[in-house]
Amino acid sequence: MRIALDEAALARGWSSPNPPVGAVVVRDGEVVGRGHTQPPGGEHAEVVALREADERARGATVYVTLEPCGHFGRTPPCAQALVRAGVAEVHYAIEDPDPNVRGDGHRQLHEAGVTVESGDGADESALLLEGYLKHRRTGLPFVIAKYAASLDGRIAAASGDSRWVSGPQTLEWAHRVRPTFDAIVVGSGTVVIDDPMLTARPGGTTAGAHQPLRVVCDSRGRTPDTAAILQGASPTLIATTALSPELWRKRMRGPNAEVIVLPARDGHVDLEALLRELGRRGVLTVLFEGGGVLLGSLFDARLVDRIHAVIAPIIIGAADAPTAVAGRGADRMADAVRLREVSVERLGDDILVNGLVVWPEGA
């Protein structure tokens, strides 16, 4: 199952709206086939692994990180492919919550005389599939809020200068993980001040890297025509409201840039409406990179699932310097957001804190 999980990790970003799944075929203690989910319209992990195994799949044991599907979608059902290949056993990590699958793949395999077991690698698989699992249960993508802040919680100096709060190792890490997400969201303030490209450049290049959908929340039409986020082949979605000028919206539209008008909430783009639209488009994971106003609205609406907080060993100290998370926030400490399943990692001199959000009861 460890090898299957490693295969699943290779599909993150590329497979959506399908889940990133890995599969391994083992015959007489030897791995004879392995595979992961291909981009939409392509083969599922089990089919890739079975094709590599060929005739050696007969009587073999298959390890897969998600219950094999039992229905026709863009591709034929994997459960039936496993039966036709003559495998003897299937071990899958977790049940697929999709109503079209949920238990049906297991049933089809069992009725065909295949020994079926579940649970091996369940925790690791659920982590890899956290976007897919939430999307299938709620229709919404899994939301990660990411920021880099000083020890005193500032994301920029009083002038707005934010280059660079964190160090070069953090930048390298950011470009390594960007390809695993389906979309990256920033606010118009970040576009105006930092003019980011929001492309994934692991190793310093975009070559061969999955490029997430670039999303800008721009309620009033502040994004300039020259913004880097409008350049290049990577697609861009600008989410705005009726408060923005129609002429500006027309200027923003281009070969790779789309503009959508969403409802406003407290004068800003309604982020839940944005997430529902992204979920409708098959986006499973969304990385919100700020700034503080956008993240504040996201936290106030209780839309965050996981946090990636990079803490840099610097002190900015200015009372007017922007903070990592603005918004209404907590009136009492009992209302503060907390984390569970926390991990801490060194990125050069910086510290990465990663954890799942726990919302306070009754706040």
Side-chain angles (χ1 to χ4, degrees), residues 5-236:
L5 290 165
D6 291 341
E7 284 287 330
L10 298 174
R12 288 187 299 171
W14 294 104
S15 65
S16 297
N18 293 325
V21 176
V24 173
V25 182
V26 178
R27 176 74 180 271
D28 299 326
E30 177 189 358
V31 174
V32 295
R34 64 173 73 192
H36 55 268
T37 313
Q38 299 302 295
E43 296 171 326
H44 290 189
E46 298 94 321
V47 175
V48 176
L50 288 173
R51 185 177 66 248
E52 182 178 311
D54 198 20
E55 288 300 318
R56 292 174 295 178
R58 188 161 302 278
T61 299
V62 176
Y63 297 86
V64 60
T65 58
L66 183 68
E67 178 188 4
C69 62
H71 68 290
F72 279 88
R74 293 182 178 179
T75 59
C78 292
Q80 292 305 306
L82 291 163
V83 170
R84 288 194 302 273
V87 304
E89 297 181 29
V90 172
H91 299 257
Y92 66 86
I94 55 177
E95 181 183 80
D96 192 331
D98 190 311
N100 292 315
V101 182
R102 195 182 301 154
D104 192 48
H106 184 123
R107 178 188 60 78
Q108 291 183 29
L109 290 166
H110 177 72
E111 290 180 352
V114 178
T115 300
V116 189
E117 293 184 2
S118 64
D120 183 15
D123 291 343
E124 297 93 332
S125 183
L127 182 61
L128 287 168
L129 291 165
E130 59 188 5
Y132 174 77
L133 297 176
K134 181 188 177 185
H135 184 270
R136 287 304 185 270
R137 290 166 179 154
T138 68
L140 296 173
F142 191 89
V143 174
I144 300 95
K146 177 227 170 194
Y147 60 84
S150 62
L151 284 172
D152 53 340
R154 310 301 196 204
I155 58 172
S159 66
D161 175 33
S162 60
R163 296 186 180 234
W164 296 94
V165 173
S166 53
Q169 289 88 346
T170 293
L171 184 61
E172 292 173 7
W173 164 80
H175 281 292
R176 285 201 311 272
V177 299
R178 269 186 183 177
T180 66
F181 300 109
D182 298 329
I184 301 179
V185 185
V186 295
S188 58
T190 297
V191 172
V192 170
I193 295 171
D194 294 339
D195 195 24
M197 292 185 287
L198 291 190
T199 52
R201 302 185 298 278
T205 176
T206 59
H210 167 256
Q211 296 300 323
L213 173 67
R214 303 181 291 186
V215 183
V216 180
C217 288
D218 191 342
S219 305
R220 289 176 164 77
R222 301 175 62 201
T223 300
D225 302 13
T226 57
I229 201 167
L230 299 174
Q231 312 305 316
S234 298
T236 298

Side-chain angles (χ1 to χ4, degrees), residues 130-131 134-135 138 140-145 275 284-286 288 298-299 302-308 337-340 354-359:
E130 59 188 5
K134 181 188 177 185
H135 184 270
T138 68
L140 296 173
F142 191 89
V143 174
I144 300 95
L275 290 173
L284 304 184
T285 55
V286 182
F288 278 76
L298 196 67
F299 276 95
R302 291 190 166 207
L303 295 172
V304 183
D305 297 301
R306 182 180 291 278
I307 294 175
H308 289 168
V337 176
R338 300 185 184 277
L339 301 183
R340 64 180 175 88
N354 180 354
L356 292 170
V357 169
V358 178
W359 297 106

Side-chain angles (χ1 to χ4, degrees), residues 2 67 272 284 343:
R2 178 70 264 164
E67 178 188 4
E272 183 172 357
L284 304 184
S343 66

